PDB file of all heavy atoms in Angstrom:
ATOM      1  N   HIS A   5      -2.333   5.731  -1.127  1.00  0.00           N
ATOM      2  CA  HIS A   5      -3.505   4.946  -0.753  1.00  0.00           C
ATOM      3  C   HIS A   5      -3.852   5.124   0.710  1.00  0.00           C
ATOM      4  O   HIS A   5      -5.015   5.208   1.080  1.00  0.00           O
ATOM      5  CB  HIS A   5      -3.266   3.461  -1.070  1.00  0.00           C
ATOM      6  CG  HIS A   5      -3.407   3.152  -2.528  1.00  0.00           C
ATOM      7  ND1 HIS A   5      -2.406   2.583  -3.266  1.00  0.00           N
ATOM      8  CD2 HIS A   5      -4.430   3.368  -3.373  1.00  0.00           C
ATOM      9  CE1 HIS A   5      -2.804   2.456  -4.516  1.00  0.00           C
ATOM     10  NE2 HIS A   5      -4.030   2.942  -4.613  1.00  0.00           N
ATOM     11  N   GLN A   6      -2.800   5.177   1.536  1.00  0.00           N
ATOM     12  CA  GLN A   6      -3.046   5.403   2.969  1.00  0.00           C
ATOM     13  C   GLN A   6      -3.794   6.710   3.188  1.00  0.00           C
ATOM     14  O   GLN A   6      -4.748   6.778   3.956  1.00  0.00           O
ATOM     15  CB  GLN A   6      -1.713   5.452   3.721  1.00  0.00           C
ATOM     16  CG  GLN A   6      -1.127   4.098   4.008  1.00  0.00           C
ATOM     17  CD  GLN A   6       0.229   4.201   4.666  1.00  0.00           C
ATOM     18  OE1 GLN A   6       0.692   5.289   4.994  1.00  0.00           O
ATOM     19  NE2 GLN A   6       0.867   3.065   4.841  1.00  0.00           N
ATOM     20  N   ARG A   7      -3.344   7.751   2.476  1.00  0.00           N
ATOM     21  CA  ARG A   7      -3.989   9.059   2.654  1.00  0.00           C
ATOM     22  C   ARG A   7      -5.424   9.026   2.158  1.00  0.00           C
ATOM     23  O   ARG A   7      -6.326   9.576   2.780  1.00  0.00           O
ATOM     24  CB  ARG A   7      -3.195  10.141   1.911  1.00  0.00           C
ATOM     25  CG  ARG A   7      -1.865  10.458   2.568  1.00  0.00           C
ATOM     26  CD  ARG A   7      -1.317  11.775   2.056  1.00  0.00           C
ATOM     27  NE  ARG A   7      -1.042  11.756   0.628  1.00  0.00           N
ATOM     28  CZ  ARG A   7       0.161  11.590   0.095  1.00  0.00           C
ATOM     29  NH1 ARG A   7       1.202  11.422   0.879  1.00  0.00           N
ATOM     30  NH2 ARG A   7       0.331  11.608  -1.201  1.00  0.00           N
ATOM     31  N   LEU A   8      -5.639   8.337   1.032  1.00  0.00           N
ATOM     32  CA  LEU A   8      -6.991   8.256   0.474  1.00  0.00           C
ATOM     33  C   LEU A   8      -7.924   7.541   1.444  1.00  0.00           C
ATOM     34  O   LEU A   8      -9.034   8.000   1.723  1.00  0.00           O
ATOM     35  CB  LEU A   8      -6.954   7.521  -0.868  1.00  0.00           C
ATOM     36  CG  LEU A   8      -8.288   7.432  -1.620  1.00  0.00           C
ATOM     37  CD1 LEU A   8      -8.830   8.818  -1.897  1.00  0.00           C
ATOM     38  CD2 LEU A   8      -8.129   6.660  -2.921  1.00  0.00           C
ATOM     39  N   ILE A   9      -7.425   6.403   1.999  1.00  0.00           N
ATOM     40  CA  ILE A   9      -8.257   5.644   2.937  1.00  0.00           C
ATOM     41  C   ILE A   9      -8.503   6.466   4.206  1.00  0.00           C
ATOM     42  O   ILE A   9      -9.615   6.505   4.730  1.00  0.00           O
ATOM     43  CB  ILE A   9      -7.588   4.290   3.249  1.00  0.00           C
ATOM     44  CG1 ILE A   9      -7.688   3.389   2.014  1.00  0.00           C
ATOM     45  CG2 ILE A   9      -8.244   3.618   4.449  1.00  0.00           C
ATOM     46  CD1 ILE A   9      -6.792   2.188   2.055  1.00  0.00           C
ATOM     47  N   GLY A  10      -7.446   7.152   4.658  1.00  0.00           N
ATOM     48  CA  GLY A  10      -7.608   8.010   5.835  1.00  0.00           C
ATOM     49  C   GLY A  10      -8.657   9.078   5.602  1.00  0.00           C
ATOM     50  O   GLY A  10      -9.513   9.334   6.451  1.00  0.00           O
ATOM     51  N   LEU A  11      -8.617   9.691   4.406  1.00  0.00           N
ATOM     52  CA  LEU A  11      -9.577  10.751   4.084  1.00  0.00           C
ATOM     53  C   LEU A  11     -11.003  10.207   4.062  1.00  0.00           C
ATOM     54  O   LEU A  11     -11.918  10.794   4.633  1.00  0.00           O
ATOM     55  CB  LEU A  11      -9.228  11.355   2.723  1.00  0.00           C
ATOM     56  CG  LEU A  11     -10.142  12.486   2.253  1.00  0.00           C
ATOM     57  CD1 LEU A  11      -9.905  13.723   3.095  1.00  0.00           C
ATOM     58  CD2 LEU A  11      -9.918  12.804   0.790  1.00  0.00           C
ATOM     59  N   LEU A  12     -11.175   9.034   3.416  1.00  0.00           N
ATOM     60  CA  LEU A  12     -12.511   8.449   3.335  1.00  0.00           C
ATOM     61  C   LEU A  12     -13.023   8.078   4.725  1.00  0.00           C
ATOM     62  O   LEU A  12     -14.183   8.324   5.063  1.00  0.00           O
ATOM     63  CB  LEU A  12     -12.496   7.214   2.425  1.00  0.00           C
ATOM     64  CG  LEU A  12     -12.231   7.525   0.938  1.00  0.00           C
ATOM     65  CD1 LEU A  12     -12.153   6.243   0.126  1.00  0.00           C
ATOM     66  CD2 LEU A  12     -13.294   8.448   0.381  1.00  0.00           C
ATOM     67  N   ALA A  13     -12.134   7.499   5.550  1.00  0.00           N
ATOM     68  CA  ALA A  13     -12.536   7.120   6.909  1.00  0.00           C
ATOM     69  C   ALA A  13     -12.945   8.356   7.694  1.00  0.00           C
ATOM     70  O   ALA A  13     -13.975   8.373   8.376  1.00  0.00           O
ATOM     71  CB  ALA A  13     -11.391   6.396   7.606  1.00  0.00           C
ATOM     72  N   ALA A  14     -12.143   9.417   7.584  1.00  0.00           N
ATOM     73  CA  ALA A  14     -12.469  10.659   8.295  1.00  0.00           C
ATOM     74  C   ALA A  14     -13.806  11.205   7.811  1.00  0.00           C
ATOM     75  O   ALA A  14     -14.618  11.691   8.599  1.00  0.00           O
ATOM     76  CB  ALA A  14     -11.363  11.688   8.083  1.00  0.00           C
ATOM     77  N   GLY A  15     -14.047  11.082   6.494  1.00  0.00           N
ATOM     78  CA  GLY A  15     -15.309  11.559   5.937  1.00  0.00           C
ATOM     79  C   GLY A  15     -16.492  10.810   6.509  1.00  0.00           C
ATOM     80  O   GLY A  15     -17.502  11.406   6.885  1.00  0.00           O
ATOM     81  N   VAL A  16     -16.351   9.470   6.612  1.00  0.00           N
ATOM     82  CA  VAL A  16     -17.441   8.662   7.168  1.00  0.00           C
ATOM     83  C   VAL A  16     -17.697   9.066   8.623  1.00  0.00           C
ATOM     84  O   VAL A  16     -18.846   9.302   9.033  1.00  0.00           O
ATOM     85  CB  VAL A  16     -17.105   7.162   7.060  1.00  0.00           C
ATOM     86  CG1 VAL A  16     -18.097   6.335   7.855  1.00  0.00           C
ATOM     87  CG2 VAL A  16     -17.095   6.732   5.599  1.00  0.00           C
ATOM     88  N   VAL A  17     -16.618   9.158   9.414  1.00  0.00           N
ATOM     89  CA  VAL A  17     -16.766   9.531  10.826  1.00  0.00           C
ATOM     90  C   VAL A  17     -17.432  10.897  10.952  1.00  0.00           C
ATOM     91  O   VAL A  17     -18.370  11.101  11.726  1.00  0.00           O
ATOM     92  CB  VAL A  17     -15.382   9.540  11.524  1.00  0.00           C
ATOM     93  CG1 VAL A  17     -15.493  10.139  12.924  1.00  0.00           C
ATOM     94  CG2 VAL A  17     -14.830   8.134  11.591  1.00  0.00           C
ATOM     95  N   LEU A  18     -16.963  11.849  10.136  1.00  0.00           N
ATOM     96  CA  LEU A  18     -17.515  13.204  10.183  1.00  0.00           C
ATOM     97  C   LEU A  18     -18.989  13.207   9.802  1.00  0.00           C
ATOM     98  O   LEU A  18     -19.815  13.866  10.449  1.00  0.00           O
ATOM     99  CB  LEU A  18     -16.719  14.086   9.218  1.00  0.00           C
ATOM    100  CG  LEU A  18     -16.948  15.587   9.304  1.00  0.00           C
ATOM    101  CD1 LEU A  18     -16.458  16.107  10.639  1.00  0.00           C
ATOM    102  CD2 LEU A  18     -16.218  16.295   8.175  1.00  0.00           C
ATOM    103  N   GLY A  19     -19.317  12.421   8.771  1.00  0.00           N
ATOM    104  CA  GLY A  19     -20.704  12.361   8.332  1.00  0.00           C
ATOM    105  C   GLY A  19     -21.609  11.798   9.415  1.00  0.00           C
ATOM    106  O   GLY A  19     -22.670  12.339   9.707  1.00  0.00           O
ATOM    107  N   VAL A  20     -21.150  10.705  10.057  1.00  0.00           N
ATOM    108  CA  VAL A  20     -21.934  10.105  11.136  1.00  0.00           C
ATOM    109  C   VAL A  20     -22.082  11.085  12.292  1.00  0.00           C
ATOM    110  O   VAL A  20     -23.182  11.296  12.829  1.00  0.00           O
ATOM    111  CB  VAL A  20     -21.268   8.790  11.611  1.00  0.00           C
ATOM    112  CG1 VAL A  20     -21.939   8.285  12.883  1.00  0.00           C
ATOM    113  CG2 VAL A  20     -21.340   7.747  10.519  1.00  0.00           C
ATOM    114  N   ALA A  21     -20.971  11.735  12.649  1.00  0.00           N
ATOM    115  CA  ALA A  21     -21.006  12.695  13.759  1.00  0.00           C
ATOM    116  C   ALA A  21     -21.988  13.829  13.463  1.00  0.00           C
ATOM    117  O   ALA A  21     -22.823  14.194  14.303  1.00  0.00           O
ATOM    118  CB  ALA A  21     -19.612  13.255  14.009  1.00  0.00           C
ATOM    119  N   ALA A  22     -21.911  14.348  12.241  1.00  0.00           N
ATOM    120  CA  ALA A  22     -22.798  15.461  11.882  1.00  0.00           C
ATOM    121  C   ALA A  22     -24.255  15.018  11.923  1.00  0.00           C
ATOM    122  O   ALA A  22     -25.119  15.738  12.430  1.00  0.00           O
ATOM    123  CB  ALA A  22     -22.441  15.982  10.486  1.00  0.00           C
ATOM    124  N   THR A  23     -24.518  13.795  11.404  1.00  0.00           N
ATOM    125  CA  THR A  23     -25.891  13.285  11.423  1.00  0.00           C
ATOM    126  C   THR A  23     -26.410  13.210  12.848  1.00  0.00           C
ATOM    127  O   THR A  23     -27.528  13.638  13.146  1.00  0.00           O
ATOM    128  CB  THR A  23     -25.935  11.894  10.778  1.00  0.00           C
ATOM    129  OG1 THR A  23     -25.246  11.958   9.542  1.00  0.00           O
ATOM    130  CG2 THR A  23     -27.361  11.451  10.537  1.00  0.00           C
ATOM    131  N   LEU A  24     -25.575  12.662  13.751  1.00  0.00           N
ATOM    132  CA  LEU A  24     -25.994  12.535  15.147  1.00  0.00           C
ATOM    133  C   LEU A  24     -26.258  13.897  15.771  1.00  0.00           C
ATOM    134  O   LEU A  24     -27.252  14.096  16.469  1.00  0.00           O
ATOM    135  CB  LEU A  24     -24.926  11.785  15.956  1.00  0.00           C
ATOM    136  CG  LEU A  24     -24.783  10.301  15.602  1.00  0.00           C
ATOM    137  CD1 LEU A  24     -23.628   9.672  16.368  1.00  0.00           C
ATOM    138  CD2 LEU A  24     -26.079   9.557  15.912  1.00  0.00           C
ATOM    139  N   VAL A  25     -25.359  14.838  15.508  1.00  0.00           N
ATOM    140  CA  VAL A  25     -25.518  16.176  16.084  1.00  0.00           C
ATOM    141  C   VAL A  25     -26.834  16.797  15.615  1.00  0.00           C
ATOM    142  O   VAL A  25     -27.614  17.316  16.414  1.00  0.00           O
ATOM    143  CB  VAL A  25     -24.336  17.085  15.692  1.00  0.00           C
ATOM    144  CG1 VAL A  25     -24.645  18.535  15.996  1.00  0.00           C
ATOM    145  CG2 VAL A  25     -23.081  16.659  16.436  1.00  0.00           C
ATOM    146  N   PHE A  26     -27.092  16.694  14.299  1.00  0.00           N
ATOM    147  CA  PHE A  26     -28.306  17.327  13.789  1.00  0.00           C
ATOM    148  C   PHE A  26     -29.562  16.599  14.250  1.00  0.00           C
ATOM    149  O   PHE A  26     -30.600  17.203  14.448  1.00  0.00           O
ATOM    150  CB  PHE A  26     -28.249  17.436  12.261  1.00  0.00           C
ATOM    151  CG  PHE A  26     -27.341  18.538  11.814  1.00  0.00           C
ATOM    152  CD1 PHE A  26     -26.215  18.279  11.067  1.00  0.00           C
ATOM    153  CD2 PHE A  26     -27.597  19.852  12.180  1.00  0.00           C
ATOM    154  CE1 PHE A  26     -25.364  19.291  10.674  1.00  0.00           C
ATOM    155  CE2 PHE A  26     -26.752  20.877  11.791  1.00  0.00           C
ATOM    156  CZ  PHE A  26     -25.634  20.591  11.044  1.00  0.00           C
TER     157      PHE A  26
END
Side-chain angles (χ1 to χ4, degrees):
Chain A
H5 283 123
Q6 280 176 5
R7 289 197 298 260
L8 184 59
I9 289 165
L11 180 71
L12 293 177
V16 170
V17 171
L18 191 66
V20 170
T23 311
L24 291 175
V25 167
F26 284 117

